[in-house]
């Protein structure tokens, strides 16, 4: 049985054109961009070209692009680097309760080890942040606000541009983890998030894993978190991974300006499955009914847990997840659902289906057919 892949928010398959774009940097052009000689200079020219292309695709200056090792690193660089830069101005940070652990755990670290104070913005039962709640938490010593564009577990979209504007008016740096929005939402330029810091992660839109970038709006210049060489405008020491960068840029150009996750049919598919789930007692759809990623369908099931549900789905050939891949495999209740006010017993029984470009209608019908039985069996 060919598996049905319904876990596109965890990762996506590298596209053949992306692989082809990476290949030259694993064979012919293997030079170190920092070397003085001609082989190094060729690699440097390629790197400069990629930075230029990334900046053109984002609509920003090349100096505002830092290539990194993925979404987690971009978030760490943004948060650790900026708070360390601005600590003399204040030690207060504001973040939403439903941020990815790459953000929340980093901020908790700053609280525990570096003397910062973190205020958490609550969300409503759909997982939405109210911009007024963010503003109400701002203090004279607030230096940074972090709110994600689209939640990875339940798909809820956030009014980040509005939050970003409020922060800018008050001189507070705004970090927006938009990792799940690229390729899934319309993209008109990196400025659309009204943020100073925006992480990007290639493997969410058919690029390679371990490849990412951080948009840093000038003149902000966070401290580096990785020390060594002067690479990436002294923001990230270490020889650049040109193949990964090639893959990221190629994937971004191909799959983000015209989103590779097509609103239709994805909305129709998740809508069809939502219909099926609404008919099953004890099953509750989670996330915002309208303001959500079209590809994402999250639900909880009374009387069982995520592990049983995912194992039974897997037996039927369906690859799904219980939320963020990082918490899959553990039975801890989803912090996102907890923040939405869901009791622990149900927050422990979350299933996330996330579809993408390679799914076909027959697969959706298959999932629709097996869901009632899978849920029944998981409860047994
Ligand atoms: C919202 C969000 N931020 C950050 C990350 C981390 O990205 P990476 O897997 O590239 O470290 C993910 C990946 O699941 C994510 O969904």
């Amino acid at each position: 049985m060919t598996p049905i892949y319904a876990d596109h928010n965890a990762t996506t398959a590298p596209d053949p054109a992306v692989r082809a774009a990476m290949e030259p940097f694993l064979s012919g052009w293997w030079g170190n961009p920092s070397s003085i000689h001609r082989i190094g200079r060729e690699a440097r020219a390629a790197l400069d070209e990629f930075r230029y292309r990334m900046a053109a695709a984002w609509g920003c200056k090349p100096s505002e692009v830092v290539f990194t090792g993925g979404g987690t690193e971009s978030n760490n660089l943004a948060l650790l680097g900026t708070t360390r830069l601005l600590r003399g101005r204040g030690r207060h940070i504001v973040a939403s309760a439903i941020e990815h652990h790459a953000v929340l755990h980093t901020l908790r670290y700053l609280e525990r080890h570096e003397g910062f104070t973190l205020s958490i913005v609550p969300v409503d039962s759909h997982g939405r942040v109210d911009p007024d709640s963010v503003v109400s938490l701002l203090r004279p010593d607030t230096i940074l606000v972090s709110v994600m564009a689209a939640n990875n577990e339940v798909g809820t979209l956030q009014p980040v541009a509005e939050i970003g504007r409020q922060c800018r008016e008050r001189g507070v740096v705004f970090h927006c983890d938009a990792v799940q929005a690229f390729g899934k939402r319309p993209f008109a330029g990196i400025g659309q998030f009204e943020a100073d810091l925006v992480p990007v992660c290639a493997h969410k839109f058919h690029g390679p894993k371990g490849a990412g970038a951080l948009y840093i709006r000038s003149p902000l210049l966070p401290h580096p978190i990785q020390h060594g060489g002067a690479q990436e405008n002294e923001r990230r020491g270490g020889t650049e991974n040109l193949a990964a960068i090639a893959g990221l840029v190629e994937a971004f150009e191909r799959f983000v300006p015209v989103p590779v996750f097509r609103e239709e049919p994805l909305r129709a598919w998740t809508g069809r499955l939502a219909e099926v789930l609404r008919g099953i007692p004890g099953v509750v759809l989670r996330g915002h009914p309208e303001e959500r990623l079209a590809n994402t369908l999250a639900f909880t099931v009374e009387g069982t847990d995520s592990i049983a549900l995912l194992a039974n789905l897997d037996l039927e050939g369906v690859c799904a997840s219980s939320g963020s891949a990082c918490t899959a495999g553990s039975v801890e209740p989803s912090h996102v659902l907890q923040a939405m006010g869901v009791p622990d017993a149900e927050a422990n029984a979350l299933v996330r289906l996330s579809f993408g470009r390679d799914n076909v209608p027959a697969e959706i019908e298959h999932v629709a057919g097996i869901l009632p039985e899978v849920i029944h069996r998981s409860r047994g």
Side-chain angles (χ1 to χ4, degrees), residues 9-10 70-72 75 100 102 148 150 152 177 179-180 201 203-204:
N9 288 9
T72 300
N75 276 312
H100 190 274
M148 70 200 319
N152 45 301
D177 179 352
V179 159
Q180 288 290 345
C201 157
H203 73 93
K204 305 292 185 189

Side-chain angles (χ1 to χ4, degrees), residues 151-201:
N151 181 262
N152 45 301
E153 295 195 23
V154 296
T156 300
L157 304 173
Q158 304 299 342
V160 287
E162 174 57 22
I163 295 169
R165 275 190 289 272
Q166 299 279 358
C167 290
R168 196 159 293 168
E169 271 175 25
R170 293 163 176 81
V172 176
V173 171
F174 180 49
H175 165 258
C176 177
D177 179 352
V179 159
Q180 288 290 345
F182 293 109
K184 299 191 179 94
R185 298 289 303 159
F187 180 75
I190 205 84
Q192 75 185 34
F193 303 107
E194 300 285 350
D196 303 286
L197 298 156
V198 184
V200 176
C201 157

Side-chain angles (χ1 to χ4, degrees), residues 68-78 100-103 106 179 199-201 225 326:
T68 70
T72 300
E73 187 192 318
S74 294
N75 276 312
N76 272 262
L77 173 57
H100 190 274
H101 283 155
V103 170
T106 307
V179 159
V200 176
C201 157
I225 57 169
C326 322

